[in-house]
Amino acid sequence: MTLLSLASVTASYGASQALFGVDLDIREGEVVALLGRNGMGKTTTVKAICRMIPASGSMQFAGQDLMLLPSHRAARLGIGLVPEGRRCFRDLTVAENLICAARPGEWGQAEVETLFPRLAERRGQRAATLSGGEQQMLAIGRALMTNPRLLILDEATEGLAPVIRQEIWAAVARLKSASGLALLVIDKTLKELKAVADRAVVLERGRTVWTGPIAELTPDLSTRYVGV
């Protein structure tokens, strides 16, 4: 069953148009990689889905028209975002960051701490005192506490030490195998993406230029559109 569907989506920042025709769909329980070079519209697409910027075209989530909804109502439908740059509440503790986002469902504080044991160890610490990797785990945990149907990870491993990146990828793999959660993942590391993603959608200058099983994303296509 299709959970999220975008067709011919356009979006602008004031007079500057950023999306010129994005087509994307995600099924229940599917992991989709959103790829493209920097500045090609990936984060703008995420902002449009989360209703953080105005957009035109067609966007449906769980049978409802996203275009009609403000951002908080889109979130309540079941869209969880782990934004680029983490954006934890710095003056709140780890536990407070998690609790403030909590909604009823499968994911609670105990489940998040099982996924990321470091968060249990740092439960009483202020988010500002955590390492970058720990803050990223907290951002993912906070999004899971909303019990979303779709989790969006925007550059979740960017700038992290290799050992922490592997912990994040291991968590993504567990999320895929242990739940019916759908994921939309933006990242630059194709090797790790190919291990967890079912399909890929590639953007070029604000348009969808390729979509298909990620195993069919050839080195020629990667070089042409992704730059790796």
Side-chain angles (χ1 to χ4, degrees):
M1 172 182 168
T2 299
L3 180 64
L4 174 71
S5 178
L6 278 64
S8 302
V9 170
T10 63
S12 301
Y13 296 99
S16 178
Q17 189 169 349
L19 300 183
F20 295 85
V22 172
D23 302 306
L24 180 155
D25 64 86
I26 302 174
R27 294 184 287 273
E28 296 268 10
E30 187 178 34
V31 180
V32 174
L34 184 60
L35 303 174
R37 293 187 176 89
N38 290 341
M40 293 297 108
K42 302 186 300 296
T43 294
T44 301
T45 299
V46 168
K47 289 180 178 179
I49 293 169
C50 295
R51 308 310 301 127
M52 298 164 69
I53 60 170
S56 300
S58 173
M59 287 198 299
Q60 299 281 326
F61 183 81
Q64 297 202 41
D65 187 351
L66 281 178
M67 293 296 190
L68 302 177
L69 302 180
S71 59
H72 69 279
R73 288 188 59 195
R76 287 178 183 173
L77 280 182
I79 300 175
L81 173 63
V82 181
E84 189 176 15
R86 299 180 281 273
R87 303 181 192 176
C88 300
F89 298 113
R90 294 174 57 83
D91 291 331
L92 299 185
T93 66
V94 167
E96 289 167 342
N97 265 275
L98 296 175
I99 292 168
C100 74
R103 297 186 67 207
E106 173 186 357
W107 287 95
Q109 186 173 343
E111 288 73 25
V112 168
E113 290 178 349
T114 298
L115 184 67
F116 294 119
R118 289 175 187 237
L119 296 183
E121 298 169 6
R122 310 283 194 272
R123 190 180 297 155
Q125 285 186 224
R126 290 172 56 244
T129 68
L130 303 179
S131 70
E134 290 164 349
Q135 289 184 19
Q136 188 64 73
M137 294 174 189
L138 180 56
I140 296 172
R142 183 181 60 192
L144 287 171
M145 290 284 287
T146 70
N147 278 284
R149 299 176 68 180
L150 169 66
L151 181 65
I152 302 174
L153 301 171
D154 191 355
E155 301 284 6
T157 67
E158 185 176 25
L160 301 181
V163 65
I164 301 298
R165 282 172 29 209
Q166 290 309 309
E167 287 189 46
I168 300 294
W169 284 118
V172 171
R174 288 197 293 274
L175 290 174
K176 177 181 180 179
S177 64
S179 71
L181 185 65
L183 291 99
L184 178 64
V185 184
I186 300 173
D187 209 278
K188 297 181 178 69
T189 53
L190 278 178
K191 178 181 177 182
E192 284 81 2
L193 281 171
K194 286 184 174 181
V196 297
D198 301 299
R199 291 189 300 115
V201 175
V202 180
L203 302 186
E204 174 81 359
R205 298 181 181 179
R207 292 182 172 87
T208 298
V209 293
W210 189 88
T211 184
I214 197 165
E216 295 178 9
L217 187 66
T218 64
D220 285 348
L221 287 168
S222 298
T223 300
R224 180 177 178 185
Y225 292 123
V226 186
V228 293

